[in-house]
Amino acid sequence: MRYHSPTSFTDAAGIAAGASGLTRFLAGGTDVLVQMRAGMVQPDDLIDLKKIPGVSEITPTDDGGWRIGVAVPGIALGAHAGLKGDWPGVVEGMELVGSTQIQGRATLVGNLCNGSPAADSVPGLVAAGATVEITGPDGTRTMSVEEIPAGPGKTNLGKGELISAILLPARGQHGGDAYLRFIPRTEMDIAVVGCAVNLTLDGDKVKSARIALGAVAPTVILVPEAAEAIIGTTLDDDAIAALEAAARGAAKPISDKRGTTEFRVDVAGVLAKRAARIAYARAKGEQA
């Protein structure tokens, strides 16, 4: 195995583009190092990104949003008052990844690129409308978070491409988001279903919304029909019923040891309802 520690994303992309075997990037390492020790993955080239300037920083952007470095650990997200104030749903999704020890290393980018349909941090990013900055042999481009996963363990990144930052949009006024999951145990388990809701209000009515589901399809999915069910409403009982139905209709899960198809479909509706109510309360300033 060849170990690399580039000092720029351009150099990292160049190394990856020129590699002929299996390549892995190292940011937090909570996925790739475990996979290596278990013999699941044996990279020919391991590219450590931690020496690149800015990878461990959370910085505000000119438009009022946030830029999150690829090596920012989960524990730093929860400790950042500004980010948590704007996007509590994004932060609480990442805070559910692993133990306290894992939180000290695990990153949003790693959780995204691992390609798990049940990744806890991804639905919140999708619901928030987050994008990623991608550096590759042909320069830099941006892509929406929901376009990155291609299936379990796979991404849509090209040869030599890597994510160089996560970009969250400006929160704006009268907005709120939330993430909820169902797991068999009280902690440190893989989501049976996850749901994130992001919405903005105009008075008491929902002006805009984005709703994402996890662990109910080969990738985390955005559900426009669920958003449409609550836009223009005050999240009354009829809107909630329509939201639940839309979430259940979009869920196409498999049955496995963690839950049956029927159970997961039902839970998708329940979590969508609960997460929407939390996001609505946060948008009105009634809940932290």
Side-chain angles (χ1 to χ4, degrees):
M1 184 183 73
R2 292 174 291 274
Y3 172 80
H4 310 270
S5 55
T7 55
S8 74
F9 282 107
T10 300
D11 289 344
I15 295 167
S20 58
L22 182 64
T23 302
R24 287 291 184 269
F25 296 101
L26 180 62
T30 56
D31 286 316
V32 69
L33 294 180
V34 171
Q35 292 166 0
M36 288 170 62
R37 291 193 66 178
M40 299 168 57
V41 171
Q42 294 299 326
D44 297 290
D45 291 272
L46 184 64
I47 305 172
D48 191 342
L49 306 175
K50 294 191 291 297
K51 291 185 179 179
I52 299 175
V55 295
S56 299
E57 297 177 2
I58 302 171
T59 54
T61 56
D62 292 340
D63 64 355
W66 296 96
R67 180 186 179 93
I68 302 173
V70 299
V72 172
I75 197 168
L77 298 177
H80 196 289
L83 178 64
K84 192 169 185 176
D86 280 356
W87 295 105
V90 171
V91 173
E92 63 197 2
M94 189 61 200
E95 287 182 326
L96 290 172
V97 177
S99 63
T100 300
Q101 294 89 338
I102 294 296
Q103 282 289 310
R105 299 292 297 179
T107 67
L108 283 171
V109 170
N111 201 224
L112 172 61
C113 291
N114 195 45
S116 170
D120 280 309
S121 73
V122 178
L125 290 171
V126 172
T131 58
V132 295
E133 178 186 274
I134 299 169
T135 300
D138 298 322
T140 301
R141 65 189 179 102
T142 58
M143 194 173 183
S144 64
V145 167
E146 59 265 31
E147 294 178 293
I148 295 298
K154 300 177 181 178
T155 74
N156 285 311
L157 296 174
K159 172 71 172 176
E161 289 190 325
L162 70 154
I163 293 175
S164 40
I166 287 181
L167 304 171
L168 282 166
R171 169 70 276 179
Q173 297 295 314
H174 312 299
D177 72 323
Y179 173 74
L180 294 174
R181 70 174 181 183
F182 176 84
I183 57 174
R185 299 185 295 173
T186 56
E187 61 182 342
M188 291 180 64
D189 212 336
I190 300 172
V192 174
V193 180
C195 180
V197 176
N198 171 37
L199 53 78
T200 59
L201 302 180
D202 182 3
D204 290 334
K205 289 187 175 181
V206 178
K207 181 180 179 181
S208 64
R210 286 173 64 93
I211 297 171
L213 293 173
V216 296
T219 66
V220 171
I221 57 172
L222 187 66
V223 188
E225 300 84 1
E228 292 166 6
I230 62 173
I231 291 174
T233 76
T234 57
L235 214 64
D236 54 28
D237 290 344
D238 288 343
I240 286 292
L243 167 64
E244 286 188 82
R248 291 188 179 112
K252 307 295 180 185
I254 61 171
S255 292
D256 62 16
K257 62 183 180 181
R258 291 181 293 120
T260 64
T261 295
E262 295 77 14
F263 178 71
R264 281 182 155 135
V265 168
D266 187 60
V267 171
V270 173
L271 292 186
K273 170 180 67 177
R274 293 177 180 176
R277 284 174 170 161
I278 294 170
Y280 187 87
R282 285 173 172 169
K284 291 181 70 68
E286 297 172 354
Q287 183 171 330

